[in-house]
Amino acid sequence: MVLDSIVSSPMRRSQSLRKQRDELGSWSALAQRHRFLLTALVLLAFLCTIYLYFAITLGAAGSCSRLTGTQRAVCQLERAKASVSEGKLKFA
């Protein structure tokens, strides 16, 4: 009797572990449970990509871009001083 319980015990443990793994589910079950969160994450990533594209594209075309030489340097210096005084940090 004791010998039977020792022999069958590891089998029961492996079955219970397998059952727990099945209850947790596969990747498809996990995706179905969290479909709303995954959709929101994809939408957020898409919107952030669009925002960054326009921020970089439109931010690069400043008022100093058409100037050349000394005028451009003076313009950029004035813009840097204005942004520091306003508390903004600019990388241009």
Side-chain angles (χ1 to χ4, degrees):
M1 186 84 175
V2 174
L3 188 60
D4 290 338
S5 66
I6 292 173
V7 171
S8 64
S9 178
M11 186 67 127
R12 287 183 185 167
R13 265 191 243 131
S14 68
Q15 287 175 350
S16 68
L17 289 173
R18 189 178 307 136
K19 187 177 180 183
Q20 279 182 332
R21 194 176 333 130
D22 291 341
E23 286 175 1
L24 291 175
S26 61
W27 285 106
S28 61
L30 187 66
Q32 286 177 357
R33 284 188 204 139
H34 301 290
R35 187 181 312 161
F36 174 76
L37 293 175
L38 292 171
T39 304
L41 184 64
V42 168
L43 181 64
L44 182 65
F46 178 71
L47 291 176
C48 285
T49 303
I50 291 174
Y51 172 77
L52 287 174
Y53 170 75
F54 283 111
I56 291 170
T57 304
L58 298 177
S63 59
C64 301
S65 62
R66 294 183 182 150
L67 301 175
T68 59
T70 308
Q71 293 176 341
R72 184 175 187 166
V74 170
C75 179
Q76 288 176 344
L77 183 63
E78 290 173 357
R79 286 182 65 197
K81 285 181 181 177
S83 65
V84 169
S85 66
E86 293 175 7
K88 296 179 182 176
L89 182 61
K90 296 260 183 175
F91 297 103

